[in-house]
Amino acid sequence: DERALAAHFTARVAAEQRIEPRDWMPEGYRRTLVRQVAQHAHSEIIGMQPEGDWIASAPSLRRKSILLAKVQDEAGHGLYLYAAAETLGVDRADLTERLIGGRQKYSSIFNYPATGFADVGVIGWLVDGAAICNQVPLCRSSYGPYARAMVRICKEESFHQRQGYELLLRMMAGTPEQRAMVQDAVDRWWWPSLMMFGPPDAESPNTRQSMEWRVKRHTNDELRQRFVDMTVPQAERLGVTLPDPALRWNEERGHYDFGEPDWAEFRRVLSGDGPCNAERIRRRRAAHEDGAWVREAAAAYAAKRSAGETR
Ligand code: FAQ
C-alpha cells in the first residue's frame, strides 16, 4: 500500500540509494524535480543568448571558435536536462510552451545584457563558476537521471569556467582600456551572480523539503558562501576589485564576510521585469516558431519510416 511504498522510498533516500524513473515516488518529489530540472534546462537554453550575441563579433577566429563551442555545449546541456525531465513523465514540447508562455522560470542571471566582449570572459568565470559550485553537489542528487546528467555538465562547465578566466587573464595583461573593460564587466555581473544561488535560506520555500529528499544537498546560503570563498582569491590573482565594500576575510568564521545582494532587484527580475526578460523570451519564441517546419519534417519522416517498418 501507499504507506509501505512511502516508507520504502524514505529509507532508500536515507541510505543514499538513487531513485530511478520506474520507482514509486511521492507526487511532491516528482513535482519539485520537474520544477527544478525544467528550470535548469530552460536556463541552459536561454543562457545561450547573452554570449551568443558575441559569436559574430568575437575579436579573432580563435575566440570565435571557442565561443561557438561553448554555446553549443549549453544547447547540449539543455537537451540532457529535458531528457532527464521527460523520465518524470512530462513532455519537452510542453515544457517549452510553458517557458515561452512565461509559466516556468529560468535563471535570473540570463536577464542581464552582455554589453562588451569582456562580458564573455566574466560570464565564463563568474556565471559558470557559480553554476559549478551549485551543480557539483547535484551530482549526488537522489534522482538518478538528474544526478547522472550533472556529471557531464559539470565537466564541461569547469572547462567553460577556465576558458573565461583565461580570456580575462589575457585582457588584464593588455591595454588600460582592456583592463577597464574587465573591471566594468565584473562590476555589473558580481551581484547578479550571487543571486543565482536563490533567495536567502530564511526566504526559500523549497529548500527544507528538497534537502530532506536529497534533491538539493546544500542550502542556498551555504553555496553562496562557498562561491564567495572560492572567487575572492581568483579576483586577487586577476587584479580586479569585487564591487562589495563589506567583503573581508573573517578569521573567526574561516570565511569571507560579504554584503547583501539587492533582493528587491532579484524579485523584480523573477517577476519578469529585468533588463532583458522580454527580449530573451521573444527570441526564444521566434526560434521555436522558425523551427516548426523542422519538427514537422522530422515527425513526417519518422511516421513514414515506422509505416515502412510495419508493412
Ligand atoms: N533565478 O525555494 P527556492 C546555467 C526561484 S546555471 C530564477 O530557493 P529552489 C549554466 C525558485 O525556482 C543556472 N528563479 O527554490 C550556464 C523558486 O520558484 P518556484 C541554472 C530562481 O529550487 C552558465 C523560488 O525562486 N542552474 O544555466 C532563482 O529550492 C553560463 C524560490 O526559491 C540551475 O537551475 C534564480 N536565481 O532553489 C549556462 C541549478 N533562485 O519554482 C549558460 C539547479 C530561486 O517555486 C552560460 N537549481 N528561484 O516558482 C537549483 O539548484 C535550485 O533550483 C535553485 C533554487 C538553487 C536555483
Side-chain angles (χ1 to χ4, degrees):
D1 70 338
E2 187 97 346
R3 282 226 323 269
L5 288 167
H8 183 62
F9 170 87
T10 306
R12 285 190 55 190
V13 168
E16 295 288 334
Q17 285 172 15
R18 289 274 160 79
I19 304 302
E20 297 297 337
R22 289 166 196 275
D23 294 338
W24 185 90
M25 58 186 85
E27 263 323 294
Y29 179 83
R30 188 185 300 276
R31 223 176 313 116
T32 210
L33 271 163
V34 168
R35 178 182 65 76
Q36 178 166 328
V37 178
Q39 179 175 305
H40 197 164
H42 297 329
S43 302
E44 297 281 356
I45 298 298
I46 297 283
M48 296 164 76
Q49 292 188 36
E51 293 164 289
D53 284 341
W54 284 97
I55 293 172
S57 40
S60 67
L61 181 59
R62 178 167 174 267
R63 292 294 171 196
K64 219 185 266 283
S65 52
I66 291 172
L67 186 54
L68 197 57
K70 178 186 193 274
V71 173
Q72 216 160 52
D73 284 350
E74 284 153 10
H77 298 173
L79 297 185
Y80 322 144
L81 286 164
Y82 283 126
E86 286 193 321
T87 67
L88 293 157
V90 292
D91 176 60
R92 179 176 144 202
D94 179 51
L95 296 178
T96 300
E97 289 299 335
R98 289 199 235 170
L99 169 68
I100 60 186
R103 284 174 290 135
Q104 260 175 359
K105 296 187 172 80
Y106 56 91
S107 181
S108 52
I109 191 76
F110 302 116
N111 292 308
Y112 293 85
T115 54
F117 190 69
D119 291 43
V120 168
V122 170
I123 290 171
W125 174 39
L126 296 180
V127 177
D128 282 280
I132 296 162
C133 210
N134 164 274
Q135 285 166 203
V136 165
L138 292 175
C139 297
R140 293 185 297 114
S141 183
S142 59
Y143 188 58
Y146 187 37
R148 287 188 291 273
M150 272 312 114
V151 174
R152 176 162 168 189
I153 291 177
C154 285
K155 283 186 183 160
E156 294 183 348
E157 272 168 8
S158 58
F159 195 66
H160 295 170
Q161 200 255 0
R162 285 157 206 223
Q163 168 277 143
Y165 197 68
E166 187 269 347
L167 167 51
L168 297 178
L169 282 171
R170 286 289 294 272
M171 287 188 80
M172 290 302 286
T175 63
E177 287 79 8
Q178 285 175 307
R179 282 195 289 278
M181 280 173 76
V182 174
Q183 183 61 56
D184 170 60
V186 169
D187 291 345
R188 286 179 289 107
W189 288 92
W190 173 250
W191 292 108
S193 298
L194 293 188
M195 295 175 194
M196 287 175 72
F197 295 92
D201 293 350
E203 288 151 44
S204 162
N206 299 300
T207 293
R208 197 193 53 80
Q209 180 64 76
S210 287
M211 298 268 290
E212 219 168 276
W213 279 329
R214 306 199 182 175
V215 170
K216 280 168 77 163
R217 310 295 314 220
H218 301 282
T219 72
N220 300 354
D221 286 332
E222 282 166 12
L223 292 172
R224 196 171 1 256
Q225 178 74 63
R226 186 179 288 188
F227 174 69
V228 171
D229 289 348
M230 171 182 110
T231 308
V232 173
Q234 295 171 356
E236 283 166 3
R237 167 80 184 76
L238 199 56
V240 296
T241 309
L242 297 173
D244 178 359
L247 195 62
R248 71 178 56 85
W249 178 250
N250 183 326
E251 191 66 53
E252 216 165 286
R253 292 201 309 125
H255 292 289
Y256 284 93
D257 289 338
F258 58 100
E260 201 63 40
D262 180 349
W263 294 114
E265 174 182 318
F266 175 71
R267 284 189 294 272
R268 256 195 329 273
V269 172
L270 251 60
S271 74
D273 192 19
C276 302
N277 296 55
E279 166 71 1
R280 300 294 185 237
I281 291 295
R282 188 190 64 69
R283 283 175 71 181
R284 181 68 193 89
R285 175 175 297 133
H288 187 64
E289 285 165 6
D290 289 348
W293 70 273
V294 180
R295 292 190 297 278
E296 279 160 25
Y301 180 70
K304 237 184 200 168
R305 284 194 49 159
S306 65
E309 275 163 18
T310 53
R311 242 203 324 267

